[in-house]
Structures are given as C-alpha cells and as structure tokens.
Amino acid sequence: MDSIASWNERYRAGEPDDQPAKLLVETLRDATPGLALDLACGAGRNAIWLAQRGWDMTAIDGSMEAIRILRERAVALRIHSEVRDLETDAPLPYPDASFDAVLLLYFLWRPLFAEAKRIVKPGGLVLAAIRTRGTYAITSHELRAEFAGWDLIHEQDGEIAEIVARRAPL
C-alpha cells in the first residue's frame, strides 16, 4: 500500500494531469450546480472544475501536500478542503443525504461505497471510476453490484470500470 508520505512526495514532484476526469465532464457538464463531495481529490482537478461551474465543493484527501496544492490553485473558489485518512472504516462526518454528487474517481477503499450511497441525496449521483487491473483494482461486476437497485446512468468496462448511479428520488 502506498503510504501518505509517498503520496506527499508524488504531489511535491508535480501532478502530471490537471485536467478533470472525462467521466465527470461528460456527466456533469450541463448539470445544475449543487453540493458535491470529491473523495480522494488529489490536487483538486475535479473539484476545481466543478467549483468553476458553480458547484459548492467539499474535497478530501489523505495527502497534506495534495490539499496544499488544491488550496493554492483554488483561492477564489468555493471549495472546502480537508486532510482526512479515507482508508479507515470510520463513517464520513456528514449527515445522510447531504450531497447532490459524490465522486470516487481513481481511488479504491471499498467501505467508501456504502458511505457515498449514504450521503448522496435522493435523486443525486455517485460517480465512480476504478482501475480493473493492479493492486487496487475492482471488477466491473463488483462495482455494478455495489449499486444494485440504483438507476445506472452510465456503465463502462475496460481497464477502468466506470459507473454513474442515481439514488432513487423520494
């Protein structure tokens, strides 16, 4: 497992990709802004893109260096950012049905699926993109099973398993 120290070093060396994830852009480009949570946000490429479009963002990462970079890049944007170890079984500090969108992009800690489902509002979206090869990988079947009973707006298999799932409205 990569330690937080190694992630801090990686961010100090410079993040190679500052473009938002394609899944995010394609899904939320024309969406009405609301409240969104970016879990394992890294240096903030996705949170910044959403905040620039009027979303009220919360961005969390375990790397202090990643959050420092995010804060430098997003001084004028509405992004609440915090350093938090996401690789625990502790519940996230948000009430049920708090967010219109929850992002789990390129980070795998399986207990976060249940938390994302808990904190997304009825009618809200969970966007997940997880590698299907390597140490921290998920199968597309496993990802689909995490959202059984949800309206699957987008699903893709390949080197990256992607899902956009909508929580049923009340």
Side-chain angles (χ1 to χ4, degrees):
M1 171 161 53
D2 289 325
S3 71
I4 293 296
S6 68
W7 279 106
N8 283 329
E9 284 304 314
R10 181 176 170 178
Y11 285 110
R12 276 188 207 101
E15 185 175 343
D17 185 9
D18 63 355
Q19 296 301 306
K22 182 179 175 187
L23 176 64
L24 172 68
V25 173
E26 290 175 354
T27 303
L28 297 179
R29 176 184 308 131
D30 299 321
T32 301
L35 299 173
L37 174 63
D38 187 357
L39 294 168
C41 66
R45 65 188 179 126
N46 298 311
I48 289 169
W49 187 85
L50 284 170
Q52 289 170 334
R53 282 147 187 82
W55 286 78
D56 188 359
M57 290 301 306
T58 298
I60 299 173
D61 200 275
S63 167
M64 287 187 290
E65 187 65 16
I67 294 299
R68 182 194 64 74
I69 293 167
L70 167 60
R71 289 175 179 163
E72 284 179 3
R73 292 166 132 181
V75 171
L77 297 172
R78 291 182 62 183
I79 300 176
H80 169 74
S81 58
E82 66 180 86
V83 176
R84 176 178 295 278
D85 183 0
L86 293 171
E87 293 184 355
T88 72
D89 292 333
L92 294 171
Y94 308 108
D96 295 354
S98 298
F99 295 94
D100 297 294
V102 177
L103 314 178
L104 279 165
L105 301 174
Y106 306 101
F107 177 77
L108 179 60
W109 184 255
R110 285 172 175 85
L112 285 178
F113 291 121
E115 282 298 286
K117 292 186 291 188
R118 178 184 68 79
I119 62 176
V120 75
K121 294 177 181 179
L125 300 174
V126 174
L127 287 74
I130 313 287
R131 287 175 175 71
T132 58
R133 294 186 178 100
T135 306
Y136 301 101
I138 194 168
T139 68
S140 56
H141 299 295
E142 183 183 358
L143 185 56
R144 188 178 313 112
E146 287 288 347
F147 292 94
W150 284 51
D151 181 19
L152 299 183
I153 297 180
H154 169 82
E155 185 177 8
Q156 179 176 310
D157 294 332
E159 288 187 27
I160 306 291
E162 295 179 350
I163 251 181
V164 177
R166 183 181 313 277
R167 183 176 179 178
L170 291 176

